[in-house]
Amino acid sequence: MAISFLVLGIIVLQCSFSASDFLHPLDPLNATEINQIRFLVQNNTALCSLPNLTFHFVDIEGPNKDDVLEWLSSNTNGTSLPPRRAKVVLRAAGQTLELILDLAAGSLISHSVYTRHGFPPFTFDELSRAIKLAESFPHFQQSIAKRGLDMAQVTCVPLTVGWYGEVVTGRIVKVVAFYRGGTSNIFARSIAGISMLVDVESMKITQYADTSIVPLPGAEGTEYQPSVKKPELCPCPIGIGITIEGNMVKWANWNLHVGFNARAGLIISTASVLDEQRKQFRQVLYRGHVSETFVPYMDPTSEWYYRTFMDMGEYGFGRCASSLMPLTDCPEHAVFKDGIMAGAVGQVEVVPNAICIFERYSGNIAWRHTEIGVPGKLITRVEPEVTLVVRMVSTIGNYDYILDWEFKQSGCIKVGVSLTGTLELKATPYTDVNQIKQEVYGNLIANNSVGVNHDHFFTYHLDLDIDGQENSFIQSKLQIQKVKKGWGTTRRKSYWKTFPEIVETEADAKFQIGLEPAELLVVNPNQETLLGNQVGYQFMPGPSVTALMSDDDYPQIRAAYTKYQLWVTPYNESERWAAGFYVDRSQGDDGLTTWTSRNRSVVNKDIVLWYTVAFHHNPSQEDYPVMPTLQGGFELRPKNFFERNPMLKQQ
């Protein structure tokens, strides 16, 4: 069915919004706005008549970055906010529709049909219906009975299928099955040999296979839930005080905005730090969030090869956000914020306690010194490190991902990514490693259970504005220098020296970190300290982990950007998602690798860093039945940004 947007009229709604309804230009959509958007769509005769109309992406559109920064710099009450707009992605009649709405006027600004590769994220409604369809399929029920299993104890899970060179004709998921009997750890008891393809729009099973019967892993030892356990009170913090007004957070020497949407989940924006000497807040981060994830399993067999998930673009981190538990996920003094988004039919959906904000004192030292050089005195000064933490947890299938943004009084921003949850295990006939005579693509970690090797890639979008928008990226290499003859009486033979290199274009601005020692810096070449140093921030990466699949492998084509841990691009509002906006069944022709082929200049520009936190996971027995938290991340640290240690108050 072809869709013509020529008949779409502009509908002015009775409800509209003024600048006074919002406190910050980047505030996420609220419940009233989401209802307004739903009303606009459902009352448009051209749209509401279309079959299978579903909402797949609803978020604020823009606003223009210059307008946001101008609003921030004015810092006066009553200043008009930039226009409030929303982007809406719908599916109807087998097509993807894109709308831009003016929320203040209640009108449709633009509309188009997306015709390139890739599909929008799945809705939970689609996934739920696919599960019910699979569970009621007679052939599937017969396969379960043939294995002597109780259908009432079966859990079906719909998985995305990626792209492998085929002509893509529809939106499909592959449904696999697990057995709950005797445990709540469903991913530990895989029912091997059965798979189904479901077309989520026709809601039909298009392919069914029951290839073999493999022994079902037992339930013994799989349970991870404790018996009765009372929560322990967290240590009381050293109170500095958090002020939260709407989505704006003020703490110690930091001002920042905390947002949320269905795709990225937690979004940090307009973070600025107080410079006491200048008596002003200075820009550091315009916007930061996880842009995409990539989780490819290393089992090329027919039941596993397609498990190469891009969770953000296929499911959504915000959509899968968990409600955080006081006293366990977050300390007792934490402040919680709900996550608000639109559901499959445009209805308001709320994740209670999706984000928590709290002060943390973990016993770390911010700085200290003991001085014994003053005659007759022993001087010791220690400053405990109290930080601000903004946290979200997204549970996608078997994994729980903990995302932390930690702000320090030193001006540092520490970003943490943690993995926990349960492994998705592969059923196997083996109960001892000595029985294994063929490749199992992982490790035997329990009876009849293989933990398949896999990777986790978390690619961050980091729009840094270090003391302003015009920034440059410097790779300052550390190189050995030989001491020249005739240098006095020195007996040294070598030392190291830094050689700063300004990265000029995107072709040079992609890095496999760790190949040679270097400092990575974002500087503002237009701002200097009193001593003449360019102000900047040092980017401090985590361990070097790169993709290990061949470049011509289809999953790697879709996630080609993971071959480099760090990229630098000029700012473009439309470039936020590393694998492209439409990820499900994408073909690698959009996203970071495509954008950078233009080889744009990154010198003295508004630049964006893209950094991938990654883990190669070779599972072990200690990961069973539940995985202890594995942590990674990176840090942004002031480098000649302040005149001196900002934690020292002016004397």
Side-chain angles (χ1 to χ4, degrees):
M1 178 180 178
I3 299 174
S4 173
F5 272 105
L6 296 178
V7 297
L8 292 183
I10 297 177
I11 299 177
V12 178
L13 304 181
Q14 294 180 347
C15 54
S16 60
F17 299 90
S18 66
S20 61
D21 294 311
F22 304 96
L23 299 175
H24 192 287
L26 298 179
D27 279 349
L29 296 171
N30 60 31
T32 304
E33 289 177 306
I34 292 172
N35 283 329
Q36 179 193 21
I37 292 166
R38 184 186 189 190
F39 181 89
L40 174 60
V41 172
Q42 292 183 343
N43 284 272
N44 186 293
T45 54
L47 288 174
C48 66
S49 62
L50 297 173
N52 301 324
L53 179 67
T54 50
F55 291 71
H56 293 262
F57 179 86
V58 180
D59 193 22
I60 60 169
E61 171 69 2
N64 183 280
K65 182 176 179 179
D66 289 337
D67 293 339
V68 175
L69 295 177
E70 182 179 352
W71 178 86
L72 287 172
S73 64
S74 67
N75 197 28
T76 57
N77 294 328
T79 302
S80 297
L81 273 75
R84 189 80 173 159
R85 296 175 177 175
K87 179 173 182 177
V88 180
V89 176
L90 309 170
R91 283 289 293 180
Q95 291 187 301
T96 299
L97 319 178
E98 298 179 336
L99 312 178
I100 303 297
L101 309 176
D102 185 323
L103 297 178
S107 62
L108 179 67
I109 297 175
S110 67
H111 41 72
S112 60
V113 177
Y114 176 76
T115 57
R116 296 172 60 195
H117 297 137
F119 297 113
F122 291 97
T123 68
F124 275 12
D125 181 65
E126 289 172 328
L127 300 178
S128 177
R129 292 174 63 200
I131 291 171
K132 292 178 181 178
L133 177 66
E135 291 175 342
S136 63
F137 190 53
H139 291 300
F140 177 62
Q141 293 177 347
Q142 292 167 12
S143 295
I144 295 300
K146 183 171 64 175
R147 288 164 169 77
L149 303 177
D150 180 3
M151 187 65 203
Q153 295 294 322
V154 173
T155 293
C156 288
V157 176
L159 304 177
T160 55
V161 300
W163 170 74
Y164 292 88
E166 74 276 18
V167 176
V168 175
T169 57
R171 299 173 62 236
I172 60 175
V173 292
K174 183 167 285 192
V175 179
V176 297
F178 301 88
Y179 200 64
R180 298 191 303 276
T183 183
S184 59
N185 189 354
I186 63 168
F187 291 101
R189 307 194 73 192
S190 173
I191 304 174
I194 303 174
S195 64
M196 291 165 276
L197 279 182
V198 176
D199 185 310
V200 298
E201 293 189 335
S202 66
M203 206 48 68
K204 293 181 180 179
I205 294 175
T206 59
Q207 187 180 108
Y208 182 80
D210 184 354
T211 58
S212 60
I213 297 179
V214 178
L216 179 72
E220 184 179 357
T222 63
E223 190 56 71
Y224 54 85
Q225 295 193 85
S227 50
V228 178
K229 181 181 180 181
K230 295 181 179 179
E232 297 179 0
L233 295 179
C234 300
C236 293
I238 296 176
I240 294 176
I242 303 172
T243 301
I244 299 178
E245 186 177 6
N247 295 284
M248 294 184 291
V249 178
K250 298 180 180 180
W251 174 85
N253 53 344
W254 282 99
N255 282 351
L256 56 131
H257 183 269
V258 177
F260 178 92
N261 71 19
R263 182 163 184 164
L266 174 61
I267 301 170
I268 301 295
S269 57
T270 60
S272 60
V273 64
L274 177 65
D275 186 325
E276 282 210 356
Q277 187 158 339
R278 296 190 185 184
K279 303 300 181 185
Q280 69 180 86
F281 279 90
R282 299 168 65 188
Q283 294 172 259
V284 178
L285 176 73
Y286 179 72
R287 182 165 55 200
H289 58 82
V290 183
S291 172
E292 190 52 78
T293 59
F294 180 44
V295 186
Y297 283 79
M298 297 295 122
D299 186 335
T301 60
S302 60
E303 288 190 38
W304 278 77
Y305 77 89
Y306 63 90
R307 303 186 195 208
T308 55
F309 308 115
M310 290 181 160
D311 292 326
M312 301 199 74
E314 293 172 339
Y315 299 109
F317 256 35
R319 184 75 61 202
C320 298
S322 293
S323 292
L324 300 175
M325 304 294 293
L327 302 181
T328 51
D329 287 318
C330 311
E332 61 178 332
H333 56 277
V335 177
F336 292 87
K337 295 185 69 66
D338 297 340
I340 301 174
M341 56 196 150
V345 295
Q347 80 281 17
V348 175
E349 291 186 346
V350 179
V351 180
N353 294 359
I355 295 170
C356 71
I357 305 169
F358 59 92
E359 291 177 347
R360 175 160 64 191
Y361 171 55
S362 59
N364 291 337
I365 296 171
W367 65 266
R368 83 176 309 283
H369 181 61
T370 295
E371 181 57 69
I372 61 174
V374 179
K377 292 184 178 181
L378 176 64
I379 302 172
T380 297
R381 177 68 186 273
V382 183
E383 282 292 325
E385 184 167 77
V386 183
T387 62
L388 176 75
V389 178
V390 185
R391 172 174 295 165
M392 190 196 87
V393 175
S394 187
T395 301
I396 302 181
N398 55 303
Y399 268 105
D400 293 63
Y401 298 125
I402 305 165
L403 307 178
D404 279 359
W405 287 79
E406 185 173 8
F407 296 85
K408 303 182 180 183
Q409 297 174 72
S410 61
C412 294
I413 303 175
K414 185 176 181 180
V415 180
V417 180
S418 302
L419 287 65
T420 181
T422 62
L423 298 178
E424 183 178 345
L425 299 176
K426 178 181 179 180
T428 179
Y430 305 120
T431 58
D432 188 289
V433 293
N434 296 312
Q435 299 170 348
I436 300 175
K437 303 301 181 185
Q438 59 186 15
E439 180 64 75
V440 295
Y441 308 104
N443 294 319
L444 189 70
I445 65 169
N447 287 338
N448 305 118
S449 300
V450 168
V452 177
N453 295 334
H454 59 281
D455 299 319
H456 297 267
F457 297 93
F458 300 80
T459 301
Y460 276 80
H461 169 101
L462 301 166
D463 181 5
L464 296 173
D465 286 353
I466 304 302
D467 223 15
Q469 291 177 261
E470 287 71 36
N471 291 175
S472 295
F473 188 84
I474 292 178
Q475 184 182 32
S476 188
K477 297 181 179 179
L478 280 63
Q479 296 181 357
I480 297 175
Q481 302 293 296
K482 299 292 288 185
V483 174
K484 298 178 181 178
K485 293 182 178 180
W487 279 22
T489 59
T490 181
R491 302 180 68 179
R492 286 284 298 277
K493 295 185 177 181
S494 64
Y495 62 101
W496 62 260
K497 181 180 178 181
T498 60
F499 289 85
E501 297 178 0
I502 299 175
V503 177
E504 295 188 353
T505 65
E506 289 176 292
D508 300 320
K510 50 187 180 182
F511 303 93
Q512 290 183 332
I513 295 172
L515 299 181
E516 57 182 328
E519 283 189 346
L520 305 173
L521 307 169
V522 177
V523 302
N524 187 326
N526 313 293
Q527 301 290 338
E528 294 181 346
T529 66
L530 295 176
L531 298 178
N533 290 309
Q534 290 182 341
V535 303
Y537 261 68
Q538 181 178 354
F539 179 79
M540 305 181 73
S544 177
V545 178
T546 55
L548 297 178
M549 290 185 292
S550 62
D551 291 346
D552 63 347
D553 200 350
Y554 290 106
Q556 190 59 57
I557 291 172
R558 296 177 70 213
Y561 57 89
T562 59
K563 284 292 183 178
Y564 297 90
Q565 296 104 325
L566 181 64
W567 302 67
V568 183
T569 65
Y571 172 82
N572 184 317
E573 177 60 32
S574 66
E575 298 175 3
R576 285 185 61 185
W577 314 104
F581 186 75
Y582 294 99
V583 172
D584 178 51
R585 310 206 74 189
S586 61
Q587 300 184 16
D589 53 1
D590 190 16
L592 193 51
T593 52
T594 300
W595 306 329
T596 55
S597 64
R598 289 172 283 179
N599 200 24
R600 297 164 291 185
S601 171
V602 291
V603 177
N604 203 15
K605 303 284 187 182
D606 188 355
I607 59 176
V608 176
L609 269 61
W610 308 77
Y611 176 66
T612 298
V613 180
F615 308 82
H616 294 310
H617 192 180
N618 177 233
S620 65
Q621 289 184 231
E622 288 80 4
D623 296 330
Y624 178 86
V626 66
M627 176 182 165
T629 299
L630 178 65
Q631 298 174 327
F634 60 92
E635 190 164 348
L636 295 160
R637 184 179 179 90
K639 180 81 172 184
N640 298 320
F641 186 83
F642 299 102
E643 296 295 338
R644 65 174 195 160
N645 183 343
M647 297 186 69
L648 300 175
K649 303 298 183 183
Q650 295 296 312
Q651 303 296 323

